Amino acid sequence: MYIKRAIENSIKKISGSFPVLLVTGPRQVGKTTLLRHLSGQERNYITLDDPEVRFLAKRDPALFMQRYAPPVIIDEIQYAPEILPYIKMSVDRSGNKGDFWLTGSQMFHMMKNVSESLAGRVGIVNLLGLSNSEINRTPSEPFTTSPERLLAKTKTARKMLLPDIYERIFRGGMPALYADDKINLETFFSSYINSYLQRDIKDLTQVADEMSFYHFLVAVAARTGKPIIYDELAKDAGISAPTAKKWLSILVSSHIVALVQPYYSNVLKRMVKMPLLHFLDMGLCAYLLKWGSAETLERGAMSGVFFESWVFSEIYKSYLNAAKEPPVFYYRDKDGREIDLLLFYNGTLFPVEIKKTASPGSEAVKHFKALDPAADPKRHDQFDQLGQYKLEIGPGAVICMANDLLPIDRKNWYVPAWLI
């Protein structure tokens, strides 16, 4: 059963603008299924997972290109980067848009090869697991705190109760788990981790000790929704701090986690500068931490941070699905004031707080005032020579378990989690 992906229109536009399209993302998020669905019978399909095909591509890329002429889908391109220069020569000769559709589960070495070989010729799309909108089969657009946009979305979004949301969090977003609801989650994620460690980590990154990397992965899962302190992470995983930093970059590159940078301004002083970590598939995170069911997860000690990371991942995916770079930051200062998420675009900061409660109260937005100096022109005059200019502070949101979209005050709103 094919689930319509929100990114389909973006893929069509990019394919019409570039000779080469590259869809990248973690394993099992539906990259191949998506491209084969969009291409129908119009393209040849080749996977470099096939040892014989991969051998030909690596040994004789010129012959490979003769054998598999465009338009074509080439799956798992990271296994034979030798063909990238030949793809470049092919598209330079033809001048056609959309000749080659490529997929890759990895970003490690592949992106360097793609950047060098196909500069200016490739449009890159990042695909993650299914979003809540995709699963519910409702329209998707980049998340905004605009009350008008949110009010319009209430007409199409599907309301969800607390058990529904935690079932969604616990299951995660892998398409296979929604194509067949009889799949055993533990078996699925066990196989997923084994494939990731064996084929991606060991083969493509030269990490020799798979078990050490697995323990590191578990330690990272336990820190979802928290700032990264490399010394503490390294200590818990039994590795050195430089190794922890290197391995975390692998998880970021393969879209297992995202690091959210703190918003920085010379006007907003005393800011903490540690990145914040979020897992991007909460089902995988729950498996790694041995949560046995959605009910125990919802009642457990990590219930709040799982909710926060799930909300973040939904907002993050909403931008990727529109082929946009997620404009996400967070705020934390040395006075203990925190804002879970800041969206920054068009010269405007939009504060977002995330609370697993149905009635957060007006106290939930009290730290939004920490941003006021950034919008004060008097505070900016002295920083003009440093390029610091007055910003606007847009409407804020408290994403929570409220039943409906409701105003908190003239500028901030309670936003139910099912509406993101």
Side-chain angles (χ1 to χ4, degrees):
M1 178 185 68
Y2 179 76
I3 297 175
K4 181 177 174 61
R5 305 304 301 264
I7 206 169
E8 288 180 10
N9 287 337
S10 297
I11 285 179
K12 291 174 184 176
K13 289 178 182 177
I14 290 172
S15 180
S17 303
F18 291 89
V20 183
L21 166 75
L22 170 63
V23 179
T24 187
R27 289 190 168 276
Q28 299 290 320
V29 295
K31 300 181 295 294
T32 305
T33 302
L34 168 62
L35 293 187
R36 297 192 76 173
H37 173 79
L38 291 178
S39 70
Q41 303 299 317
E42 296 176 4
R43 292 175 180 267
N44 292 321
Y45 169 75
I46 306 101
T47 176
L48 296 175
D49 258 341
D50 185 321
E52 292 185 4
V53 175
R54 182 163 68 245
F55 180 74
L56 174 62
K58 293 177 77 68
R59 184 196 63 183
D60 195 340
L63 185 60
F64 175 90
M65 295 296 292
Q66 290 183 37
R67 172 65 181 83
Y68 302 109
V72 65
I73 299 172
I74 303 177
D75 209 0
E76 306 290 10
I77 189 66
Q78 73 275 3
Y79 290 127
E82 292 85 354
I83 64 175
L84 291 173
Y86 293 83
I87 291 176
K88 173 183 177 293
M89 289 187 287
S90 174
V91 300
D92 285 350
R93 280 195 305 268
S94 73
N96 296 332
K97 306 298 185 186
D99 263 359
F100 292 87
W101 287 5
L102 314 178
T103 79
S105 295
Q106 299 309 315
M107 298 284 281
F108 315 134
H109 308 301
M110 179 180 66
M111 287 311 299
K112 181 181 178 182
N113 291 326
V114 168
S115 298
E116 291 176 352
S117 302
L118 299 175
R121 300 166 179 84
V122 60
I124 300 172
V125 172
N126 297 312
L127 182 69
L128 298 183
L130 294 170
S131 68
N132 197 48
S133 295
E134 289 172 325
I135 296 168
N136 289 340
R137 293 172 172 76
T138 57
S140 173
E141 62 180 9
F143 176 78
T144 172
T145 61
S146 162
E148 293 78 16
R149 296 268 295 277
L150 290 168
L151 281 166
K153 193 171 181 181
T154 60
K155 299 174 183 177
T156 57
R158 198 189 86 185
K159 290 192 175 185
M160 299 171 69
L161 300 176
L162 180 69
D164 303 321
I165 287 175
Y166 271 85
E167 182 60 40
R168 188 65 43 85
I169 291 171
F170 181 72
R171 182 169 286 265
M174 300 296 180
L177 299 176
Y178 294 89
D180 181 359
D181 58 10
K182 295 183 176 62
I183 293 178
N184 181 277
L185 293 184
E186 187 170 349
T187 301
F188 176 86
F189 284 119
S190 175
S191 173
Y192 185 94
I193 290 294
N194 286 337
S195 295
Y196 180 66
L197 293 176
Q198 285 281 345
R199 301 188 59 188
D200 300 340
I201 299 305
K202 186 176 180 180
D203 292 350
L204 295 175
T205 64
Q206 288 77 53
V207 173
D209 191 339
E210 295 170 43
M211 285 310 299
S212 289
F213 194 90
Y214 173 78
H215 292 311
F216 170 76
L217 188 55
V218 173
V220 170
R223 282 168 171 74
T224 191
K226 298 178 182 177
I228 283 294
I229 302 173
Y230 287 104
D231 287 340
E232 292 182 4
L233 179 58
K235 182 179 178 182
D236 286 356
I239 56 178
S240 68
T243 298
K245 195 167 187 177
K246 177 185 175 183
W247 285 4
L248 189 62
S249 72
I250 292 173
L251 296 183
V252 172
S253 296
S254 51
H255 302 292
I256 300 297
V257 303
L259 293 186
V260 187
Q261 298 301 323
Y263 179 78
Y264 178 75
S265 166
N266 285 328
V267 177
L268 302 175
K269 298 180 179 179
R270 297 178 56 78
M271 297 179 65
V272 173
K273 297 182 181 179
M274 294 178 292
L276 189 70
L277 180 146
H278 284 292
F279 242 74
L280 290 173
D281 189 282
M282 300 316 297
L284 178 60
C285 190
Y287 167 78
L288 288 166
L289 297 176
K290 306 304 180 188
W291 290 102
S293 68
E295 292 80 7
T296 55
L297 174 61
E298 189 277 319
R299 295 193 300 265
M302 295 191 73
S303 176
V305 291
F306 264 70
F307 179 71
E308 185 176 330
S309 285
W310 177 74
V311 168
F312 169 83
S313 70
E314 289 297 315
I315 292 173
Y316 192 80
K317 282 186 276 192
S318 77
Y319 282 90
L320 291 184
N321 286 340
K324 297 178 181 291
E325 184 68 22
V328 293
F329 300 87
Y330 83 103
Y331 179 88
R332 180 170 298 181
D333 63 27
K334 294 176 182 177
D335 297 323
R337 295 180 297 182
E338 301 178 16
I339 302 173
D340 292 328
L341 191 61
L342 289 175
L343 301 177
F344 178 48
Y345 54 89
N346 295 335
T348 305
L349 284 169
F350 302 89
V352 177
E353 194 67 15
I354 304 169
K355 299 288 185 185
K356 184 212 161 191
T357 176
S359 304
S362 59
E363 285 288 294
V365 300
K366 67 180 181 180
H367 291 164
F368 290 2
K369 293 181 179 178
L371 303 176
D372 288 350
D376 183 357
K378 295 178 182 178
R379 300 290 298 273
H380 287 265
D381 292 343
Q382 58 184 311
F383 295 112
D384 280 350
Q385 68 272 23
L386 300 176
Q388 297 291 322
Y389 299 104
K390 175 178 175 290
L391 300 173
E392 297 294 329
I393 308 300
V398 178
I399 299 175
C400 58
M401 295 304 305
N403 289 324
D404 208 347
L405 180 68
L406 296 168
I408 302 172
D409 52 38
R410 65 182 182 82
K411 199 167 186 179
N412 304 298
W413 290 68
Y414 295 125
V415 178
W418 50 264
L419 196 54
I420 60 173

